Amino acid sequence: MNASAPDEGCAGSVRDREIVAARVIVTCPGRNFVTLKIETRSGVYGLGDATLNGRELAVASYLADHVVPNLIGRDAGRIEDTWQFLYRGAYWRRGPVTMTAIAAVDVALWDIVAKLAGMPLYQLLGGRSREGVLVYGHANGRDIEEASEQVGRYIEKGFRAVRAQCGVPGVHKPYGVARGKAYEPAESELPVETVWSTPAYLNVVPQLFERLRADHGPDIELLHDVHHRLTPIEAARLARDLEPYRLFWLEDATPAENQRAFELIRRHSVTPLAVGEVFNSIWDAKHLIEAQLIDFIRATIVHAGGITHVRRLADFAALHQVRTGFHGATDLSPVCMGAALHFDTWVPNFGIQEYMFHTEETDAVFPHDYVFREGRLHCGERPGHGVDIDEALARKFPYRPKQLPVARLADGTMWDW
Ligand code: EZ4
Ligand code: CO
């Protein structure tokens, strides 16, 4: 970039903002994370999360081999132009690998510009809209009893909203139920094969929520994740059966490639619906939002093109009174969480934010300034998104290949996971 060009904006000079280096850092402090670090001539750097669970190295290569060479010499302040260059300019658009790579660049640039401006990132987006970000935690149990105890533990910790999952009689290793200390879906080098039974599941879930309301009363917000396991008519039945227990949301009730499938669920139920943690573009959600078939959009910063694209998605959703409910499982790194919390602090149509605790090792590799207090997460006031990386420590945790499980019906048919 021409260092003698007129200075634009107030976040340093064009010369200060020139990108001089960009590196992909892969580390496994309990699970794999991919991080992009972009450095400017001023010495100020930015970080972006590039983690795509089970497909980490595809994004690492997309970035290192195809994106980083384009960044060197660019003005880090040209966030929008860089986004358009990587999306429109690349010819090949969308898809989780591409959009995760673009997100990593985008978040790192927002981080740099906020640091140069001396502002917390939420301020650049338009400033604070709320005092804290409502989060939900994950309670799970091998049976209803254990799941209810877990919900109780979250309430004791101060949570105001809890997602609940429980074992399904006859189903070995159901989605969302912990095997070790904490629930972590990607557990082996090759996918674990699980067996799925829809009738047993449809039987147990309403019983779970009946019990949770009886044990914990009407005030706690309850959520549930179907993880794409039902057909549209089965999803409609579950949503209807759960109405008496007033869920905050029912998530991913059926796969959303066919967006019109949700019309069927809507016809039968007023249970609020959340969709989209696997979405990577506004186009994945267009009909769902326009036709008001969902209540919460879960597409998040790391998998949907960064702040620049998710801001557009959130504004579009706001026109239809659809609120945000960003994905925030442990496979999204603290870097994504930091950026998401700044976004959540600003976005007018905020709904809720998913929050699972990272391991101590992960928290040590990614020092951050966000804190949990009384059921809400609070982003810090440090310039940027407030999350750093300890590269020396990251190097002590080398990449370990891990994939998500797969699900089959009892007769061997491959099913949705
Ligand atoms: O299975 O993040 O709502 N949360 C979820 C997660 C996802 C994992 C997949 O990478 O559905 O547990
Ligand atoms: Co989910």
Side-chain angles (χ1 to χ4, degrees):
M1 199 89 331
N2 181 357
S4 65
D7 282 355
E8 298 166 9
C10 61
S13 66
V14 170
R15 190 178 152 77
D16 282 347
R17 295 194 307 248
E18 184 186 339
I19 296 172
V20 293
R23 268 178 307 119
V24 179
I25 303 160
V26 182
T27 180
C28 186
R31 66 162 351 284
N32 293 309
F33 295 109
V34 180
T35 309
L36 178 68
K37 181 170 186 173
I38 299 181
E39 294 169 45
T40 60
R41 187 172 296 286
S42 65
V44 167
Y45 61 86
L47 297 177
D49 184 17
T51 309
L52 186 62
N53 201 1
R55 296 291 184 268
E56 293 88 357
L57 298 186
V59 186
S61 162
Y62 191 108
L63 282 168
D65 296 326
H66 307 294
V67 172
V68 164
N70 296 295
L71 298 178
I72 308 305
R74 292 180 76 89
D75 175 358
R78 297 198 178 191
I79 302 174
E80 183 67 54
D81 182 64
T82 302
W83 195 95
Q84 300 291 337
F85 175 86
L86 294 173
Y87 183 90
R88 297 176 91 164
Y91 187 57
W92 305 108
R93 296 179 180 197
R94 304 166 58 187
V97 175
T98 297
M99 297 305 277
T100 300
I102 294 178
V105 175
D106 187 72
V107 169
L109 296 186
W110 279 97
D111 192 29
I112 288 169
V113 173
K115 283 175 176 170
L116 285 168
M119 289 178 186
L121 183 41
Y122 73 80
Q123 190 61 58
L124 286 193
L125 293 170
R128 182 178 287 282
S129 298
R130 57 194 53 80
E131 298 313 317
V133 169
L134 177 68
V135 294
Y136 69 92
H138 281 208
N140 58 70
R142 282 162 297 183
D143 54 24
I144 290 174
E145 180 81 33
E146 200 177 71
S148 184
E149 277 167 28
Q150 277 269 345
V151 169
R153 251 173 260 146
Y154 273 91
I155 295 170
E156 277 165 26
K157 283 186 207 160
F159 278 82
R160 301 160 190 263
V162 186
R163 184 188 99 159
Q165 312 287 138
C166 74
V168 180
V171 170
H172 182 52
K173 300 193 170 196
Y175 166 77
V177 177
R179 276 158 304 268
K181 230 171 17 175
Y183 174 64
E184 183 55 70
E187 51 181 353
S188 56
E189 190 163 340
L190 292 175
V192 170
E193 299 254 342
T194 66
V195 178
W196 179 249
S197 164
T198 295
Y201 171 77
L202 286 178
N203 211 17
V204 78
V205 177
Q207 292 173 32
L208 168 66
F209 283 90
E210 184 181 16
R211 173 70 185 267
L212 295 181
R213 279 293 172 220
D215 286 358
H216 305 292
D219 293 336
I220 184 78
E221 299 288 7
L222 295 172
L223 301 82
H224 182 71
D225 192 347
V226 181
H227 227 256
H228 314 114
R229 300 288 173 91
L230 300 177
T231 66
I233 197 69
E234 290 163 352
R237 183 179 136 201
L238 180 63
R240 197 183 60 188
D241 288 352
L242 289 173
E243 274 178 7
Y245 316 114
R246 203 193 46 78
L247 263 57
F248 187 90
W249 80 35
L250 184 66
E251 175 180 338
D252 290 335
T254 194
E257 284 99 332
N258 169 18
Q259 299 186 20
R260 298 203 58 175
F262 284 77
E263 292 170 14
L264 192 63
I265 308 174
R266 275 293 205 229
R267 268 207 292 282
H268 295 281
S269 166
V270 295
T271 292
L273 302 174
V275 172
E277 69 183 45
V278 300
F279 290 179
N280 51 71
S281 151
I282 198 167
W283 301 100
D284 294 329
K286 185 169 178 288
H287 180 70
L288 287 172
I289 291 172
E290 269 174 347
Q292 306 206 173
L293 299 177
I294 57 172
D295 303 281
F296 298 92
I297 179 71
R298 287 188 42 73
T300 191
I301 287 166
V302 57
H303 298 138
I307 289 169
T308 297
H309 191 65
V310 173
R311 184 167 61 162
R312 243 152 234 150
L313 177 53
D315 280 342
F316 177 60
L319 299 179
H320 301 85
Q321 289 172 286
V322 172
R323 293 187 286 161
T324 63
F326 290 166
H327 190 201
T330 41
D331 47 293
L332 290 76
S333 93
V335 173
C336 176
M337 183 56 82
L341 291 174
H342 280 266
F343 194 100
D344 293 336
T345 297
W346 155 72
V347 70
N349 50 323
F350 171 72
I352 201 166
Q353 167 71 53
E354 183 179 22
Y355 175 47
M356 284 170 83
F357 300 95
H358 284 113
T359 62
E360 268 172 43
E361 290 80 6
T362 298
D363 285 337
V365 168
F366 296 99
H368 51 262
D369 64 355
Y370 56 80
V371 292
F372 176 82
R373 214 168 44 235
E374 293 165 3
R376 298 195 174 93
L377 274 169
H378 301 259
C379 67
E381 294 294 322
R382 249 192 255 156
H385 57 48
V387 186
D388 208 344
I389 188 165
D390 179 338
E391 290 191 67
L393 189 58
R395 276 193 289 276
K396 294 193 179 150
F397 301 105
Y399 170 75
R400 295 206 319 255
K402 286 209 174 157
Q403 293 191 44
L404 290 163
V406 295
R408 293 183 188 276
L409 301 183
D411 70 359
T413 305
M414 184 58 72
W415 203 244
D416 301 293
W417 196 79

